[in-house]
Amino acid sequence: MASISFKTIPINNSTVTSAARLGELAISSIPKIIETPAAMLYVRSGVVPDVTYDFVPDNVTRLLEIPLGSLVESMNNLENAESYANFARLVDPIYCPFHDSLVEVRPGGNGNLFSSLWTKSGRKELNIDRFKKLIQLVQPTMYETMFDGDTPFDKTTDKRFTKDRERSRRFLEHSLENQAISSNLIIPLVGGHDKRHRQLYLTEILRLLPTYEKNIFGISFEGIHAYGPSTEHINLDAIKFIIEETKSKLDEHPNLLYTMPLLWRPDNVIRGIDLGLVLFSGAYIPYISDRFVILTFQYNKDMPSTSTGTDYNINVKEYFNGKQALLTNCECYACKNYTQSYVYHLIQTKELLGRTLITIHNLYHYHGFFQEIRKNLRNNTWNEYRTMILEQYAPSQQK
């Protein structure tokens, strides 16, 4: 695995009233520093959904998010390759979360020595040995360790919480003790919505940190939701206490990276940054692009406001004769070269190019948003910026 480091950059201004953090992610395999907060580039089975790497916009952060669920079915093929990066001809750093943010995780299917990955083709059981083998085959830059996390809200007994903690700790210890896969770990912090059990598990993590500080790279907040489409509308304010209390116990480790799997709608990105998260899943883009949704929210104060609000669906007959770009004045490849009516025609004729152009625009827009986030955190204008984004997503502004 590549060597990797993360450091928090102090925000030297008095107007940032949240826990927002700027950071720098340095990876030995690439010359460029990755600035955070950042969204990753979601990749499934070695490819960005609907787009070739040549057409990924230049402003996109090239940290690949490749869920293990999209790889487990390829294990036999990977055994004949030196690494997954070589197999798929990937040159960018890779983060492997255990679950896929796009796929709902159903209750059940976990045991003392195994956990289940939920893929589009169903449940795939992964025991400790197969998990180790998969990580060794993929050789990710960093990865999330195996965990239980089966703690549905309002449906979890105390016994189930205890099993969740015990199994997740056992899986973590196996990763830490295996030298071949013990580097650059993202630890899933489990315990569901139960404050006591989350604190009990955090206490166990704190005991491990002094010994394994060089191995543990970050924390992922897990067991809070069931992944999949429902997370687009999750109420982050309802789980704010979970993240805030956890982070307060980790103040002695300021350079831990914080992340949480979610379909990160832009207003929730703002709330996540206020909580100190720095790395965001990029799965929101293929999720909305697959439904023909075009992002149009104003992420820069110099952008003109639009009549479509924060987004619109291009697969509507009113765009049959649309002569303008997907978004007026957008500088992405799709908007500079094609019209709404052409993209509408491609969708109606079921041409793959339609989703390709939509994805190109949404990637450009979403990652431009993160560039503006970092700029406003640096420039002492975060409070004004966050207000501008949240006001656009207020219920009164939604169609």
Side-chain angles (χ1 to χ4, degrees):
M1 291 184 184
S3 62
I4 184 170
S5 65
F6 175 74
K7 67 176 181 179
T8 301
I9 307 300
I11 301 176
N12 296 318
N13 62 69
S14 59
T15 67
V16 177
T17 57
S18 68
R21 300 194 298 165
L22 280 167
E24 292 182 346
L25 188 58
I27 301 171
S28 62
S29 59
I30 57 172
K32 188 177 180 181
I33 296 291
I34 295 175
E35 297 180 329
T36 64
M40 295 176 282
L41 178 60
Y42 179 88
V43 171
R44 186 187 297 127
S45 301
V47 295
V48 181
D50 301 318
V51 178
T52 63
Y53 284 99
D54 291 342
F55 281 91
V56 172
D58 290 339
N59 69 340
V60 170
T61 298
R62 299 299 283 255
L63 173 58
L64 308 184
E65 173 191 357
I66 309 182
L68 288 178
S70 71
L71 302 174
V72 67
E73 294 172 313
S74 304
M75 284 186 69
N76 291 337
N77 295 329
L78 291 174
E79 288 177 356
N80 298 318
E82 182 181 338
S83 70
Y84 181 71
N86 288 341
F87 176 75
R89 296 292 188 266
L90 302 177
V91 297
D92 298 307
I94 297 170
Y95 168 56
C96 285
F98 188 66
H99 290 300
D100 188 337
S101 292
L102 282 174
V103 181
E104 181 182 359
V105 176
R106 301 169 194 171
N110 297 334
N112 289 332
L113 299 176
F114 67 91
S115 191
S116 291
L117 290 170
W118 293 94
T119 71
K120 292 202 169 183
S121 59
R123 184 173 75 89
K124 305 296 177 184
E125 193 174 292
L126 202 64
N127 62 28
I128 292 171
D129 290 335
R130 287 193 76 211
F131 174 78
K132 290 178 183 176
K133 181 66 174 177
L134 184 57
I135 295 300
Q136 288 175 308
L137 290 171
V138 177
Q139 296 182 30
T141 311
M142 54 184 174
Y143 75 93
E144 183 179 30
T145 59
M146 190 168 151
F147 66 99
D148 184 304
D150 184 8
T151 50
F153 182 61
D154 283 345
K155 297 179 182 178
T156 305
T157 65
D158 195 69
K159 183 179 180 181
R160 175 89 274 281
F161 277 126
T162 301
K163 284 185 177 181
D164 172 43
R165 289 191 295 106
E166 291 176 347
R167 290 171 179 175
S168 297
R169 186 189 68 247
R170 187 181 303 117
F171 298 150
L172 170 60
E173 289 171 348
H174 277 282
S175 286
L176 289 169
E177 292 166 3
N178 188 313
Q179 192 170 0
I181 62 169
S182 64
S183 301
N184 306 340
L185 307 186
I186 302 294
I187 296 181
L189 189 61
V190 299
H193 288 248
D194 188 278
K195 180 178 177 180
R196 184 175 72 88
H197 282 280
R198 293 197 80 89
Q199 289 303 315
L200 285 171
Y201 193 66
L202 178 59
T203 299
E204 295 172 6
I205 300 302
L206 290 170
R207 290 197 193 103
L208 292 171
L209 268 171
T211 305
Y212 296 104
E213 191 161 15
K214 293 182 178 179
N215 308 79
I216 297 172
F217 191 69
I219 298 290
S220 179
F221 294 91
E222 295 285 3
I224 298 171
H225 56 71
Y227 287 78
S230 64
T231 66
E232 179 188 9
H233 303 289
I234 194 170
N235 180 5
L236 280 186
D237 290 334
I239 59 174
K240 183 178 178 180
F241 75 96
I242 293 174
I243 298 174
E244 288 181 333
E245 187 155 339
T246 299
K247 287 176 72 274
S248 70
K249 302 289 177 61
L250 292 166
D251 284 344
E252 294 180 7
H253 307 276
N255 291 324
L256 282 175
L257 181 149
Y258 294 114
T259 185
M260 185 169 74
L262 209 66
L263 294 178
W264 284 101
R265 200 174 66 176
D267 57 327
N268 269 342
V269 169
I270 296 296
R271 296 183 182 99
I273 289 170
D274 278 342
L275 291 172
L277 303 180
V278 296
L279 197 60
F280 294 80
S281 168
Y284 183 68
I285 296 306
Y287 173 67
I288 62 170
S289 298
D290 196 49
R291 292 152 47 213
F292 313 121
V293 171
I294 309 296
L295 288 176
T296 57
F297 69 95
Q298 185 183 11
Y299 66 79
N300 182 316
K301 62 181 177 60
D302 297 324
M303 292 172 62
S305 59
T306 69
S307 60
T308 58
T310 56
D311 56 54
Y312 70 93
N313 195 312
I314 190 67
N315 191 25
V316 176
K317 197 169 183 179
E318 68 180 275
Y319 299 110
F320 175 80
N321 288 316
K323 304 302 182 186
Q324 62 188 40
L326 296 176
L327 177 61
T328 304
N329 296 325
C330 176
E331 291 296 313
C332 79
Y333 172 82
C335 289
K336 288 171 72 174
N337 291 280
Y338 300 97
T339 63
Q340 291 173 327
S341 62
Y342 182 64
V343 175
Y344 176 82
H345 161 74
L346 292 172
I347 294 169
Q348 295 304 305
T349 55
K350 296 182 168 50
E351 290 285 350
L352 178 59
L353 180 58
R355 285 212 301 266
T356 297
L357 295 175
I358 291 170
T359 300
I360 289 171
H361 166 76
N362 285 337
L363 281 170
Y364 181 88
H365 199 88
Y366 197 65
H367 286 262
F369 168 48
F370 275 88
Q371 287 179 316
E372 286 296 312
I373 286 170
R374 296 189 292 269
K375 175 183 173 182
N376 281 275
L377 284 171
R378 286 192 299 265
N379 291 350
N380 199 23
T381 52
W382 173 245
N383 285 348
E384 295 88 343
Y385 185 74
R386 67 181 300 281
T387 298
M388 182 185 82
I389 300 297
L390 292 176
E391 284 181 345
Q392 294 178 70
Y393 281 87
S396 61
Q397 301 298 316
Q398 297 300 295
K399 289 188 173 184

